[in-house]
Every structure is written in structure tokens, then in C-alpha cells.
Amino acid sequence: MNSSSHYFSHGTIALFCGKGMDFRPKVGTLQASFNGKSEFLNLHVFPALTSIDSFRFQEHGCNVLKLSLKSRTSQSQALVVRSDHPQNSDFPKYYSKKEKKPFPVPIVDLRRAARERLKSRKGKPKTPVPPPKNGLLVKTLIPVAYDVFNARITLINNLKKLLKVVPVQACRFCNEIHVGPVGHPFKSCKGANANIRKGLHEWITNATVDDVFLPVEAFHLYDRLGRRIPHEERFSIPRIPAIVELCIQAGVDVPEYPTKRRRKPIIRISKSEFVDADESELPDTDTERPKRPVLTEIPDSEIVAPSDEEETTLLAEETLRAWDQMRRGAKKLMKMYLVRVCGYCPEVHVGPSGHKAQNCGAFKHQQRNGQHGWQAAVLNDLIPPRYVWHVPDVNGAPMERELRNFYGQAPAVVEMCIQAGAAVPEEYRPTMRLDVGIPSTIKEAEMVV
């Protein structure tokens, strides 16, 4: 705000939340407009706004506060406050089994973009279809696919070693886990006889890698442009981890799961029909450069726990790098190689269109005859983060049920690495609520609330 701006003071201010607000103090008018639901942050961030609470909304990954100040003696002034490092952020939304997942891009926007594409192509000659839609591989993404494949193997091998030094609790009656020497006291169990136990968990220390790093399987396609898998062939086609299938379609060669590699673009006859080009005059594939080596999983019997604290810290840091590399690489691959997810159940299909297997058992599947409601998948559908409660101090006092609103959450893999000695990644600090002091007593918590 420039020097000609007029600061004003006003009396009592009401707390409000919504898309817009307008109140009139004695000297001027303050109007603040928001694009989405606003939430409260720290009070009095800027001294000039002494009695105005700070509001925020998300815009391109950062927090933005827009204020429009109008005074009777000067022109309107605009003040924009941006914060790329929020103190806290909400946990990922939990969708009930009766609720359909939202589309990553709204249907209205998809239709508008399709109309614009048709309008821009009108009267112009058709351009060649780029890979991978023409059957060829995206050469620039082949190294990324190998990095994602090897990062997944490294992540699994390191988690097996960390499980021998970092305790992970699993509930006997439900699928919830907790990273720490003692399970959390929150009443969130929905397993068998949960009403008798009043929602309390019964913790046991038998968690495995599949509990921390959730496996998501998909059908393996020999030809990703071939016909859709019918319902009758659902048992004859192998199912492999979805991230592995994505890497195979992107260029990784796994002898156990062969796939068709084209060296010439397909010849499109119609929208749903095509023929393969003649490749007889091309040289043999054996003359091409050798493929990159791929890692293999270590058997459970050969897993050796870290010997000291320093080795444990290095192992945890390597695990965090593998986790981040796998997610970033998978996100790049998903931009070119389509991945579908059912809007009603967790079923994932790697390919341009979903399969026809009628095995959806989600809410009101009878009305759909068991067919899946395919839509575009997001990264968390392919690699679920599996959020768990963050333990502020592993060696300190156990977590208290009354202070639940003050604890944060983090993916189970990240929480294991942090407890093993790795540094906290910046992207997970808001959800872990590390910048919020946890009250030492319940009375202090009631005073804060």
C-alpha cells in the first residue's frame, strides 16, 4: 500500500466465514472477497491491520489474502498478501462408501475444453497422432519409468529393514495402523465388536510392508491399445501392482510380464479400429542398445536390520528419497499414460479405457450390474499415502485422547522415516502441525479452544 493510503481504526469485529463480506466502520469501508471457503490463520499478521483477523484461501498452491480498502477521502487501494508456507493445512478429505469420488477436472470444464479443441481444429488438416496414442513409447519418459520402478523396489527393501527397528502397531479388528511404540488412544475402530469396545483399538505388533505401503493391483495388458478385458477373462489375466504396470507400459521390460512393443505408428481406420504397420523391413530388436538394469526385492529371510543409529538415519533418508522419487516420477508418467480409477471403489486400471469386469461391490452396484464407473485417476489413487497420526515425541509421554485436535498426520512411510532419524520434508509440515505447540495439560487445551 502506498503512502497516500489512509489507515483507519474501528471497533468490534464479528467473526465470519464465507465467499464474501462487507462491513462499514466509522471512517471507511473494507471489502474482502474470497474464491472458496475461508479459514482462520494467526491473528494480526500485519501491524497495519491491527484489529482485522487474517483469512486465507488456496490459489495455485499458496495462501492468498485479498483486501480492497475504500475511503471517503481517497481512491480505493488493493492489498494482496501471499504466503507459500501455511502454518497448518487440512488432512486429505475422507470419502464415505456412499459418496462418489469427485472428478479431477469438472465435467463442465472438460466439455468446454472439447468444444474449444473442435473449434480450433475446424478447417485445418489433421496432424499425426503423437505417442503414446499411436502405439509408440515416449522416449523421454523411458528413463523416468526405470527410475520409478527401481525406486519402488528400493522403498520396499528399505521398509523391510526399518520395520525391524521402528515399531508399527496394527489393530487386531480393523485395518488401521500406528507408527510408534504405543498405539494411539483415539476411539476410531470400526471393526468387529467395536461397539462393545467403544471404538477402542486393540494393538498388536505384527504390521507388514503391505500395511505401510498399500498395494494397489491392476490387470496386466499385453497390448495397451488392444480390446478391453471382458468379464469372462478376468481370472485368466494376471494382476500386478498398478505402479509396475504403469512402468511396463512406459518402457520398462520385465521378462515375467511380456508386452507388445511397436516400432511404427498404428494405422487408424476408425475411432475404435486400427491395424499395425508392417515392421518386416526393420532390423531386429537385439541390435538395439541394452536396457537399464532393474532391481529385485530382497527375500524376508535375508533382511538385516541396521546395526547402529547412524546407519538407521541414512537408511531412513534413502527411503524418503525413494518415496519422493517414485511419486514425482509416477506423476510425470500419468500425464502421458492414462490411468483410470473407479469412482465408487478403489479399483485401478492402467490403460486408455477401463476393463469390463463386473466386480465392483461398492454402494448401489446392483444398479450398475457390478460395472465400474471409470474416471481419470489422481496420484493418490495409484499410490495411496496411508495417513497415520504423527507422534510429537516418541520417547516422551503417550498421546492423549483429549488433545486429538492438536496432533497432526503424515503418510506412514514418512512417519517411519522421521522416527528413524530423517529430517521432516517441508511439504508434510503443514499436515503434521509441527508449528503448533501441543498443550501440556487438558486445561491449557480448553483455554486455547
Side-chain angles (χ1 to χ4, degrees), residues 147-214:
D147 293 340
V148 173
F149 187 89
N150 290 332
R152 174 185 172 273
I153 300 298
T154 303
L155 177 65
I156 293 176
N157 293 336
N158 291 354
L159 286 178
K160 292 180 180 180
K161 299 176 183 178
L162 287 178
L163 281 173
K164 294 184 176 295
V165 294
V166 179
V168 180
Q169 313 289 332
C171 181
R172 186 188 298 272
F173 299 99
C174 68
N175 59 354
E176 189 167 346
I177 64 173
H178 179 77
V179 181
V182 182
H184 66 74
F186 308 134
K187 299 180 179 181
S188 57
C189 183
K190 299 180 181 179
N193 300 326
N195 55 347
I196 300 177
R197 292 177 284 106
K198 297 181 180 180
L200 289 175
H201 295 277
E202 184 174 339
W203 300 107
I204 54 178
T205 56
N206 65 344
T208 61
V209 176
D210 290 341
D211 296 326
V212 179
F213 180 42
L214 295 178

Side-chain angles (χ1 to χ4, degrees), residues 85-360:
H85 302 284
Q87 181 182 11
N88 300 323
S89 64
D90 295 335
F91 304 142
K93 184 179 179 180
Y94 171 78
Y95 297 97
S96 64
K97 296 182 179 180
K98 297 182 180 181
E99 187 177 3
K100 186 181 182 297
K101 303 173 187 175
F103 290 96
V105 181
I107 295 294
V108 177
D109 296 341
L110 292 175
R111 292 175 178 175
R112 184 182 298 110
R115 289 193 299 266
E116 292 177 356
R117 286 196 303 268
L118 291 177
K119 185 178 180 179
S120 62
R121 294 176 183 176
K122 188 176 181 180
K124 296 181 180 180
K126 292 185 178 180
T127 58
V129 180
K133 295 181 180 180
N134 60 359
L136 303 180
L137 296 176
V138 183
K139 295 184 179 180
T140 57
L141 292 181
I142 294 179
V144 178
Y146 275 93
D147 293 340
V148 173
F149 187 89
N150 290 332
R152 174 185 172 273
I153 300 298
T154 303
L155 177 65
I156 293 176
N157 293 336
N158 291 354
L159 286 178
K160 292 180 180 180
K161 299 176 183 178
L162 287 178
L163 281 173
K164 294 184 176 295
V165 294
V166 179
V168 180
Q169 313 289 332
C171 181
R172 186 188 298 272
F173 299 99
C174 68
N175 59 354
E176 189 167 346
I177 64 173
H178 179 77
V179 181
V182 182
H184 66 74
F186 308 134
K187 299 180 179 181
S188 57
C189 183
K190 299 180 181 179
N193 300 326
N195 55 347
I196 300 177
R197 292 177 284 106
K198 297 181 180 180
L200 289 175
H201 295 277
E202 184 174 339
W203 300 107
I204 54 178
T205 56
N206 65 344
T208 61
V209 176
D210 290 341
D211 296 326
V212 179
F213 180 42
L214 295 178
V216 179
E217 293 187 346
F219 286 109
H220 170 60
L221 302 180
Y222 174 74
D223 185 5
R224 57 186 175 88
L225 297 182
R227 63 186 184 92
R228 299 174 64 182
I229 300 175
H231 178 72
E232 293 75 16
E233 299 180 4
R234 64 189 185 279
F235 297 120
S236 60
I237 298 177
R239 290 179 64 87
I240 61 176
I243 186 67
V244 175
E245 176 64 17
L246 179 62
C247 295
I248 291 176
Q249 293 189 16
V252 177
D253 291 332
V254 181
E256 294 82 3
Y257 304 105
T259 184
K260 187 174 183 178
R261 302 294 188 197
R262 294 180 176 88
R263 292 183 292 171
K264 277 189 175 183
I266 60 174
I267 301 174
R268 182 71 63 176
I269 300 176
S270 62
K271 186 177 180 180
S272 58
E273 294 182 2
F274 67 91
V275 294
D276 293 331
D278 186 15
E279 302 179 358
S280 58
E281 70 278 3
L282 298 178
D284 296 336
T285 57
D286 299 336
T287 60
E288 298 181 357
R289 60 181 181 179
K291 302 294 183 181
R292 291 179 51 181
V294 294
L295 303 178
T296 57
E297 295 186 20
I298 302 176
D300 296 342
S301 58
E302 301 178 6
I303 296 296
V304 179
S307 57
D308 54 1
E309 184 177 354
E310 182 179 0
E311 185 179 355
T312 304
T313 303
L314 294 177
L315 183 64
E317 293 177 351
E318 183 184 6
T319 306
L320 266 182
R321 289 193 298 268
W323 169 260
D324 182 62
Q325 184 180 17
M326 181 185 64
R327 287 181 63 88
R328 285 189 290 104
K331 191 173 183 179
K332 293 180 181 178
L333 297 178
M334 292 176 65
K335 292 181 180 179
M336 299 299 296
Y337 296 89
L338 299 179
V339 180
R340 303 295 182 182
V341 66
C342 179
Y344 304 93
C345 72
E347 179 72 10
V348 172
H349 181 80
V350 183
S353 58
H355 59 76
K356 295 183 179 180
Q358 302 174 1
N359 54 1
C360 182

